[in-house]
Amino acid sequence: MADVTLREVARASGCSVATVSRVLAGTRPVGAETARRVREAAEALGYRPNHAARALRGHRTGTVGLVLPQITNPFYPALVRELTHALHADGRAVLLADCDDDPAAEAEYVADLLSRRVDALLVIPADEERSRDAVAAAAARVPLVLMDRGCGPGVADSVAVDNATGMALVLDHLAATGRRRVCFLGAAGTASAAAERRGAYAAGAGALDPGAVARVALGDFSVEWGRAAVDEVWPARPDALVCANDLIAIGALQRLQQLGVAVPGEVAVTGFDDIPMAALSSPGVTTVRQPVPELAAEAARLLGLRLSGDDTGPRRSIRLAPKLVVRESSARGPAAIPAPAGTGESAPFR
Amino acid sequence: MADVTLREVARASGCSVATVSRVLAGTRPVGAETARRVREAAEALGYRPNHAARALRGHRTGTVGLVLPQITNPFYPALVRELTHALHADGRAVLLADCDDDPAAEAEYVADLLSRRVDALLVIPADEERSRDAVAAAAARVPLVLMDRGCGPGVADSVAVDNATGMALVLDHLAATGRRRVCFLGAAGTASAAAERRGAYAAGAGALDPGAVARVALGDFSVEWGRAAVDEVWPARPDALVCANDLIAIGALQRLQQLGVAVPGEVAVTGFDDIPMAALSSPGVTTVRQPVPELAAEAARLLGLRLSGDDTGPRRSIRLAPKLVVRESSARGPAAIPAPAGTGESAPFR
DNA sequence: CTGAAAGCGCTAACAC
DNA sequence: GTGTTAGCGCTTTCAG
């Protein structure tokens, strides 16, 4: 079962290696009878092209590097799944690197992947700023698409969810179900998801309640922060906690439960991303579902374009609209309880 | 920033490509002064070896293929993380393939990875039986380590958790906290995790209660099955539900909550794996934690051995002991309530 | 200790 | 329509 080379297939089918190459690659027309013999021989011998040789010769390896900050972040496995499927469908293989949220490690992985001659890179940057140099340098060498998080303007093509629309969906839903005293449990820092969701809340929350814009607690995208944040904002007696992602929402839910606060009765809680846990927690978390398969498809499409020579266009930044998924954590707000139409501002706490 | 080759480094440092190669690879002794000049030139030019050429020449690519059934299975991201880190630490890159639980796709991915000349394969087989042929064929070509699930005896090296020990830890814990009417919510099928956990329950549960061995409901490793399984076994009024994994346990918890059954008051619930959700559910799920970093390290070590010529030994099958993680879902059983020592068999349902 | 040279397996000119 | 041939960038004999 040693490696079968083109030469052996050529010998077995009585023609030259060039012909065999042409038949198998379909590069140029070949006589029908010859082609048949070649294909038979290749099949019989179990010929498998040697990608290393192909890569050396053709300057393309058929591989794409995927660099992400933390595969254990529960949002990423679904994205990785869709990305690998989309890329494999195009005949590309995926080299995976998890940089553990460390921009230095990320830079090393990017360099290593480049030296392995990946045809392109898909990067979810670890840090908006500290990832920029490595990403920009890499983007100058191969097509590179940023996903999920940005990395400064104009650095590379990018594909992400439209955070502003997502946040607006949440605020509209809360307004429609009678919530007014909303507050925001978000993430500090410049990471685009953090900043955009924060900004969208600030832009939209004023319509519900002028005071809402100021009711903001900022930490990170974790369950622990969600728990802690509740203690910061609960004294203000909000009727809705708008969380910047599902992990924060789940932490908030836990802490509220400890405090004996009824959800959604007393306060609604919403998340963002729709990670698997959001559906499984109880109450289920109302959240904004990212269009993961479509995000992956767009990223793959962009890479494909850049790889097939359409490399000329300007940087593209694609934003896909998310969808609101309503679950129990925000069901039946005060307004749903038959009551005289009011501002909601004066809704009773209970 | 075009690709710098050995030849250019050679020219810049005034010596031959052979010498440069030797300096950079450290293959053979080279004059100190020459070595310094070479290293300087390489550094200055930003030389990066071309892995494709190296692979063609040296018959090893420095890559390992990782094939798994479903990256979205919440147990796998942590394993993938540790595996990639361990392999990267050895200077190898990881080609990832998610076969979506389909043995046919799995076989294709394995074949593709082989034609890409991976040095070795890490496989979590999709199916104990239907994965066997492809795995066996691949194992004949490159070092291959099975993880998490088996694939028939003697097919390849394997690394997995010791399911029997894990199950025994659970049963001991339940016995120690006074539970006696245990029952098992497991998974049907021949997959090793399913079969071994089932077997271990059957072997150990009799010690708690002769009837326990028969109180078994079999479905699959899903939350949905966990919910459904509760309806099957609840009429028997068990005081503990031993679940074959955490997803089943979480589903069971949800259904029990719907039914208004107190956990752990009325019934304890245990899982297996310790996925992130197990800690975040409320009550937290008592479970068996797989030693993920150690499993990954063992797998990487085994691959390293096989790759460095120690290929001669017999197939190795490594089992690592797991650890019990006690959380609220099994806290304070009936025996913890001061009461006359009894069989526990007669413990009140409450 | 260092250089010259032969390929690894494949594709793409370039002939016929 | 098919064969011949020249490398892709690297490692590794084999000479010096």
Side-chain angles (χ1 to χ4, degrees):
Chain A
M1 244 278 165
D3 292 346
V4 182
T5 73
L6 267 197
R7 181 141 86 241
E8 304 176 47
V9 177
R11 189 151 35 214
S13 57
C15 61
S16 76
V17 288
T19 303
V20 176
S21 172
R22 295 196 267 253
V23 172
L24 267 29
T27 326
R28 287 149 127 330
V30 173
E33 167 59 12
T34 325
R36 199 188 50 70
R37 277 213 324 280
V38 167
R39 256 185 276 274
E40 253 171 28
E43 172 73 18
L45 296 174
Y47 171 76
R48 292 251 132 207
N50 182 324
H51 283 249
R54 240 209 261 269
L56 181 56
R57 187 56 234 252
H59 296 289
R60 28 178 43 241
T61 54
T63 60
V64 170
L66 173 55
V67 183
L68 41 71
Q70 281 268 37
I71 181 74
T72 49
N73 175 326
F75 174 63
Y76 293 137
L79 189 56
V80 169
R81 183 198 129 100
E82 299 298 332
L83 284 172
T84 56
H85 288 185
L87 293 166
H88 283 143
D90 293 347
R92 302 185 220 282
V94 177
L95 280 165
L96 179 75
D98 173 327
C99 74
D100 213 4
D101 270 330
D102 174 2
E106 180 181 59
E108 263 182 60
Y109 283 132
V110 166
D112 180 65
L113 290 169
L114 286 176
S115 102
R116 287 174 189 277
R117 299 302 192 273
V118 292
D119 294 337
L121 280 170
L122 243 23
V123 180
I124 303 177
D127 186 280
E128 180 101 21
E129 278 152 20
R130 292 187 300 150
S131 295
R132 195 172 306 163
D133 290 350
V135 166
R141 319 253 279 102
V142 295
L144 187 153
V145 175
L146 292 170
M147 300 211 60
D148 191 45
R149 313 179 179 181
C151 200
V155 172
D157 289 331
S158 73
V159 177
V161 70
D162 184 338
N163 288 300
T165 297
M167 224 49 241
L169 289 173
V170 167
L171 291 172
D172 286 354
H173 163 69
L174 291 174
T177 50
R179 312 281 177 174
R180 290 296 178 276
R181 267 188 89 75
V182 299
C183 75
F184 184 68
L185 312 192
T190 57
S192 55
E196 291 177 12
R197 293 174 194 180
R198 224 159 55 209
Y201 173 83
L208 298 195
D209 166 17
V213 177
R215 280 197 296 276
V216 164
L218 264 25
D220 58 31
F221 283 125
S222 72
V223 175
E224 294 70 38
W225 163 240
R227 285 193 282 249
V230 166
D231 292 322
E232 279 194 26
V233 303
W234 190 239
R237 285 298 180 275
D239 65 3
L241 304 185
V242 177
C243 302
N245 81 348
D246 291 336
L247 291 176
I248 297 177
I250 285 165
L253 237 30
Q254 291 183 343
R255 183 69 186 127
L256 289 169
Q257 185 166 328
Q258 276 181 356
L259 296 173
V261 177
V263 177
E266 223 164 325
V267 61
V269 173
T270 67
F272 205 115
D273 290 344
D274 197 23
I275 63 176
M277 262 184 260
L280 296 177
S281 104
S282 51
V285 180
T286 290
T287 189
V288 176
R289 174 175 302 161
Q290 295 211 33
V292 174
E294 292 81 5
L295 289 168
E298 282 299 311
R301 192 181 61 84
L302 270 181
L303 277 191
L305 278 178
R306 298 295 192 189
L307 283 170
S308 59
D310 263 32
D311 203 64
T312 50
R315 300 275 192 232
R316 277 185 267 272
S317 171
I318 297 181
R319 293 307 183 119
L320 262 36
K323 216 184 96 181
L324 183 73
V325 178
V326 177
R327 298 206 178 89
E328 304 89 61
S329 73
S330 72
R332 293 171 287 106
I337 299 165
T343 62
E345 184 66 0
S346 58
F349 293 133
R350 240 196 76 73
Chain B
M1 241 284 159
D3 291 344
V4 181
T5 73
L6 267 197
R7 184 143 81 243
E8 305 177 46
V9 177
R11 190 152 33 214
S13 58
C15 61
S16 75
V17 288
T19 303
V20 177
S21 171
R22 296 196 266 253
V23 171
L24 268 27
T27 325
R28 287 150 127 332
V30 174
E33 168 60 13
T34 324
R36 199 188 50 70
R37 278 214 321 281
V38 167
R39 257 185 276 273
E40 254 171 29
E43 172 74 17
L45 297 174
Y47 171 76
R48 291 251 135 206
N50 181 323
H51 283 248
R54 240 210 261 271
L56 182 56
R57 188 54 233 252
H59 296 289
R60 29 179 41 242
T61 55
T63 60
V64 170
L66 173 54
V67 184
L68 41 70
Q70 281 268 38
I71 182 74
T72 50
N73 175 327
F75 173 63
Y76 293 136
L79 190 56
V80 169
R81 182 197 131 99
E82 299 299 331
L83 284 172
T84 57
H85 288 184
L87 293 166
H88 285 143
D90 293 348
R92 303 185 219 283
V94 177
L95 281 164
L96 179 75
D98 173 327
C99 74
D100 213 4
D101 270 330
D102 175 2
E106 181 180 58
E108 263 182 60
Y109 284 131
V110 166
D112 180 65
L113 290 169
L114 287 176
S115 102
R116 285 174 190 277
R117 299 301 193 274
V118 291
D119 294 337
L121 280 170
L122 242 24
V123 180
I124 304 177
D127 186 282
E128 180 100 23
E129 280 153 19
R130 292 187 301 151
S131 294
R132 195 172 305 164
D133 290 350
V135 166
R141 319 253 280 101
V142 296
L144 187 154
V145 175
L146 293 169
M147 299 212 61
D148 191 44
R149 314 179 179 181
C151 201
V155 172
D157 288 332
S158 73
V159 176
V161 70
D162 184 337
N163 288 300
T165 296
M167 225 46 243
L169 289 172
V170 167
L171 292 172
D172 285 354
H173 164 67
L174 292 173
T177 50
R179 311 282 177 174
R180 289 297 178 274
R181 268 187 88 76
V182 300
C183 75
F184 184 68
L185 311 192
T190 56
S192 54
E196 291 176 13
R197 292 174 194 181
R198 225 159 56 208
Y201 173 83
L208 297 196
D209 166 16
V213 178
R215 280 196 297 276
V216 164
L218 263 26
D220 58 32
F221 282 123
S222 72
V223 175
E224 294 70 38
W225 163 239
R227 284 193 281 250
V230 166
D231 292 323
E232 279 194 26
V233 303
W234 189 240
R237 286 297 180 276
D239 64 3
L241 305 185
V242 177
C243 303
N245 81 349
D246 290 336
L247 292 175
I248 298 176
I250 285 165
L253 236 31
Q254 291 184 342
R255 183 69 185 128
L256 289 169
Q257 185 165 327
Q258 275 182 357
L259 295 174
V261 178
V263 177
E266 222 164 326
V267 61
V269 173
T270 67
F272 206 112
D273 290 343
D274 197 23
I275 63 176
M277 261 184 263
L280 296 177
S281 104
S282 50
V285 180
T286 290
T287 189
V288 175
R289 175 176 302 161
Q290 295 212 34
V292 173
E294 292 80 4
L295 288 168
E298 282 298 311
R301 192 182 60 85
L302 231 48
L303 277 192
L305 277 177
R306 298 295 192 189
L307 282 171
S308 60
D310 263 33
D311 203 64
T312 48
R315 301 277 192 229
R316 277 185 267 272
S317 171
I318 297 181
R319 293 307 184 119
L320 261 36
K323 216 184 95 181
L324 184 73
V325 178
V326 177
R327 299 204 179 89
E328 304 88 61
S329 73
S330 72
R332 293 172 289 106
I337 299 165
T343 60
E345 183 65 1
S346 58
F349 293 132
R350 240 196 75 72

